[in-house]
Amino acid sequence: MTKLEGAALTAALAQVPAWMFDAQRHAIRRALRLADFNAAFGLMTRVALEAERRNHHPEWSNVYDRVDIVLTTHDAGGLTERDIALARFIDAAAVALGARDA
């Protein structure tokens, strides 16, 4: 995987507008709030299964109804298409579970 830069980075970020770009880490982050702990854990379970299938795992934390997620590809030194694809999966799962931005 190649680190996204320049026009490729701009185009990739446009695909995931709910995510914030962290230039210092060359990563994207999103904080989600769900109905309760069970819904938050359900989102994390869906993402964990997909992340394992893709062999690409997020950095994340959970406190009650909130899930904070950071995506970057450590081997590439920053954001790659793998991160964008996983972010799109997370966005779809979040919508299905009624998540909103925290």
Side-chain angles (χ1 to χ4, degrees), residues 32-94:
L32 294 163
R33 188 163 304 258
L34 291 99
D36 55 24
F37 178 76
N38 285 336
F41 196 81
L43 174 66
M44 292 179 77
T45 301
R46 286 186 186 189
V47 173
L49 293 170
E50 184 65 16
E52 188 65 18
R53 188 184 73 72
R54 294 173 187 237
N55 193 30
H56 189 59
H57 305 91
E59 297 175 26
W60 58 8
S61 65
N62 163 244
V63 176
Y64 186 62
D65 63 346
R66 184 178 166 128
V67 179
D68 296 308
I69 307 167
V70 175
L71 298 175
T72 190
T73 303
H74 298 283
D75 293 346
L79 201 65
T80 68
E81 287 293 336
R82 293 178 80 188
D83 301 300
I84 300 302
L86 187 56
R88 291 172 62 194
F89 175 86
I90 293 168
D91 287 348

